[in-house]
């Protein structure tokens, strides 16, 4: 997909907020401080990023935030899910909350849940926006699943790189709709999802080229053993031994797209906001250097919405 897919006016952007918050948290020096004494480099970077998104004059825009670490429904299925990730300390928690507050002050619909992850929220928003050909703003491979569900692009904003369905298949060797099946076989260390021992990316892609999903794969292990793959019999045996784990891993890697958000498509339009309120919040968070940019961006947006 060309770069123009991300700059077209009247596009619909669904933003994986935490990816960019953490990017700026680790990439920027602590040159900004809130009135309450917390460092706010992530707030500065994220706010500037949102202003650049708004400057593209999107038809619809929304942010999904992660607030479910340790409390997600996936932890009920598998207590070790994301167990290697530490909860944010007080300083980071302040910036995460401040970023959401700034997004809302800029008139961007924002969502979070203690039970569902940002990825699930984005999947639900994507379903709501099917006719709008949404662009998913993230570099999270799990969200590649949405390219089989109406989204036209997975856009890594920082690298200005778009991935469409063909790009996902070229990278992983499977269709976007098979990403959860792929992860169920190879595992996902970033989420502490176990894989099948001895099943690497190439073997998983080869298996999923032959079978549509892991359910079909597990139902035809005899056929797996007869495939022209090195060690096919051993692969079939391992799959059978880990069948229960594979089913659980796919459930963990699959996105939930039916969350009750109680919104309509119109609620994702950029909202008419008071420029002074957003600028006052910028002062509160010690990022007053963005006040002029906030004024220009929101004034233009408000003129268009009146």
């Amino acid at each position: 997909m060309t770069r123009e897919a991300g700059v077209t006016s009247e596009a619909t952007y669904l933003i994986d907020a935490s990816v960019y918050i953490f990017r700026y948290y680790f990439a920027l020096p602590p040159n900004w401080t809130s009135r309450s004494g917390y460092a706010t480099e992530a707030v500065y970077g994220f706010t500037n990023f949102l202003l650049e998104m708004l400057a593209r004059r999107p038809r619809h825009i929304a942010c999904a935030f992660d607030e479910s670490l340790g409390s997600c429904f996936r932890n009920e299925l598998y207590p070790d899910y994301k167990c290697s990730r530490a909860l944010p300390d007080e300083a980071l928690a302040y910036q995460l909350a401040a970023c959401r507050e700034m997004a809302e002050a800029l008139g961007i619909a924002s969502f979070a849940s203690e039970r569902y992850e940002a990825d699930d929220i984005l999947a639900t928003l994507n379903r709501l926006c099917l006719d709008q050909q949404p662009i998913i703003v993230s570099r999270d491979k799990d969200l590649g699943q949405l390219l089989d569900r109406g989204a036209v692009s997975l856009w890594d904003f920082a690298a200005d790189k778009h991935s469409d369905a063909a790009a996902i298949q070229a990278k992983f060797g499977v269709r976007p709709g098979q990403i959860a099946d792929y992860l169920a076989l190879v595992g996902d260390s970033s989420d502490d999802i176990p894989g099948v021992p001895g099943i690497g990316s190439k073997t998983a892609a080869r298996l999923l080229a032959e079978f549509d999903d892991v359910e079909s794969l597990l139902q035809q292990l005899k056929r797996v053993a007869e495939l022209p793959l090195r060690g096919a019999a051993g692969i079939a045996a391992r799959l059978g031994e880990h069948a229960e784990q594979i089913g659980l891993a796919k459930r963990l890697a699959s996105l939930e797209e039916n969350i009750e958000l109680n919104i309509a498509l119109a609620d994702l339009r950029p909202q008419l906001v008071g420029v002074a309120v957003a600028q006052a919040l910028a002062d509160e968070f010690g990022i007053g250097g963005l006040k002029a940019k906030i004024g220009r961006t929101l004034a233009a947006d408000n003129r268009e919405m009146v």
Side-chain angles (χ1 to χ4, degrees):
M1 177 161 296
T2 63
R3 184 179 186 276
E4 284 72 20
V7 300
T8 302
S9 62
E10 292 294 295
T12 292
Y13 297 115
L14 304 179
I15 299 171
D16 185 5
S18 297
V19 164
Y20 297 98
I21 294 172
F22 280 104
R23 172 181 171 78
Y24 298 119
Y25 179 75
F26 289 110
L28 295 179
N31 291 344
W32 301 269
T33 306
S34 71
R35 286 174 176 166
S36 52
Y38 289 101
T40 54
E41 66 277 6
V43 187
Y44 176 89
F46 186 67
T47 301
N48 194 51
F49 157 68
L50 292 181
L51 291 171
E52 292 185 25
M53 296 301 300
L54 287 172
R56 297 169 184 268
R57 305 291 176 257
R59 177 188 297 114
H60 306 97
I61 185 169
C63 284
F65 294 81
D66 261 324
E67 294 182 0
S68 64
L69 188 59
S71 64
C72 178
F73 77 91
R74 292 179 177 84
N75 292 105
E76 298 171 6
L77 298 172
Y78 183 60
D80 285 340
Y81 180 69
K82 292 191 175 181
C83 64
S84 63
R85 299 195 191 187
L87 289 169
D89 60 18
E90 183 180 351
L92 177 55
Y94 176 88
Q95 295 211 59
L96 291 168
C99 285
R100 180 172 180 183
E101 197 170 351
M102 279 303 310
E104 292 171 344
L106 295 175
I108 299 173
S110 299
F111 304 90
S113 168
E114 292 186 353
R115 182 165 177 76
Y116 297 100
E117 296 180 75
D119 288 3
D120 302 309
I121 295 171
L122 290 167
T124 300
L125 293 172
N126 178 69
R127 184 173 58 83
L128 179 66
C129 297
L130 283 183
D131 293 337
Q132 307 300 316
Q133 297 186 309
I135 294 169
I136 310 299
V137 187
S138 178
R139 53 183 169 80
D140 185 346
K141 64 183 180 302
D142 295 2
L143 291 168
Q145 298 174 54
L146 300 183
L147 297 178
D148 260 5
R149 306 188 199 176
V152 297
S153 170
L154 187 64
W155 182 24
D156 181 352
F157 176 86
D160 194 17
K161 179 181 179 182
H162 286 270
S163 298
D164 59 10
I168 292 295
Q169 183 151 5
K171 181 175 182 180
F172 295 103
V174 299
R175 303 189 312 274
Q178 294 177 305
I179 290 289
D181 300 276
Y182 173 85
L183 294 174
L185 295 175
V186 303
D188 187 351
S189 59
S190 66
D191 289 343
D192 298 292
I193 297 176
V196 179
I199 303 294
S201 58
K202 290 184 179 179
T203 300
R206 177 67 182 84
L207 291 171
L208 291 172
E210 191 74 27
F211 303 91
D212 192 54
D213 50 43
V214 293
E215 290 81 8
S216 299
L217 177 64
L218 293 172
Q219 289 169 5
Q220 301 179 67
L221 292 178
K222 183 177 179 180
R223 185 177 154 204
V224 173
E226 297 171 350
L227 290 174
L229 283 173
R230 183 176 181 180
I235 291 171
R238 287 195 296 277
L239 291 171
E241 292 168 5
H242 293 83
E244 185 175 349
Q245 174 188 298
I246 292 169
L248 173 60
K250 181 171 179 178
R251 180 72 182 95
L252 296 174
S254 297
L255 302 183
E256 173 58 60
E257 62 177 12
N258 294 299
I259 302 173
E260 289 292 336
L261 296 179
N262 298 314
I263 58 166
L265 182 61
D267 296 321
L268 304 186
R269 297 279 295 182
Q271 300 300 304
L272 190 67
V273 297
V275 175
V277 173
Q279 290 178 325
L281 198 58
D283 279 334
E284 173 65 29
F285 293 143
I287 57 172
L290 290 177
K291 285 170 63 177
K293 188 171 184 178
I294 289 171
R296 291 193 303 271
T297 304
L298 295 188
D301 277 350
N302 290 345
R303 283 196 303 270
E304 292 186 8
M305 288 185 282
V306 170

